[in-house]
Amino acid sequence: MHVAGAVPAPGVYRLAPGARVHEAIAAAGGAKPGADLDRLNLAAPVEDGTRLKVPLRGDPEDAQASGGGAAAPGAAAPRQTGGAAAGGSGPAGKVDLNTATAEDLGALPRVGPVLAQRIVDYRTAHGRFTAPEDLDAVSGIGPKMLESLLPLVTVG
């Protein structure tokens, strides 16, 4: 996993399977003073091959902040990893299903906090989405809802 941003020793780290965002940050020497850890889901699992950016307070929220989900799944504002994690914005401002947080997903039209959490829970239980159409497997997303969401989401 690649740990970047507000850490003393950014770089690529090998973590144990099932490792969490907080463990990735610790591997990189912990958070620097001024790191905005509240924007990350420190409990989100990290995935091999993902990037976690630890933001500084005052940094604009961007697609590189992570902690997710994932990152990693489950990560804060638009993120990679999440998710982190962990999730987040993708191409053309689309929400990345694999890195978006429940808050990110809840901002989509017709997706409230309950459905957003179901999407995150599904991702946690079943792993990364391989295509936006995989959303149809989430309880509460029917054909019409899926059709309205497809132009707004992506998978990274």
Side-chain angles (χ1 to χ4, degrees), residues 51 69 72-73 99 139 142 151-152:
R51 180 175 183 260
T99 60
S139 174
L152 306 174

Side-chain angles (χ1 to χ4, degrees), residues 10-22:
V12 177
Y13 293 89
R14 183 177 305 269
L15 302 170
R20 305 290 174 159
V21 169
H22 71 90

Side-chain angles (χ1 to χ4, degrees), residues 18-142:
R20 305 290 174 159
V21 169
H22 71 90
E23 294 169 305
I25 294 169
K32 286 184 176 178
D36 192 354
L37 296 179
D38 290 336
R39 286 178 35 198
L40 302 175
N41 179 353
L42 299 174
V46 297
E47 293 183 32
D48 186 35
T50 59
R51 180 175 183 260
L52 167 70
K53 181 180 178 209
V54 179
L56 284 169
R57 273 185 224 100
D59 279 354
E61 295 188 14
D62 63 23
Q64 303 306 308
S66 168
R79 325 174 183 286
Q80 274 181 359
T81 121
S89 294
K94 291 184 175 189
V95 174
D96 188 330
L97 296 173
N98 290 321
T99 60
T101 64
E103 184 178 294
D104 298 331
L105 295 164
L108 291 167
R110 300 177 55 199
V111 177
V114 172
L115 184 54
Q117 189 59 52
R118 273 194 216 137
I119 294 169
V120 171
D121 292 345
Y122 181 90
R123 179 180 65 205
T124 301
H126 297 89
R128 299 175 61 84
F129 289 94
T130 57
E133 293 79 8
D134 293 345
L135 273 176
D136 69 351
V138 177
S139 174
I141 298 182

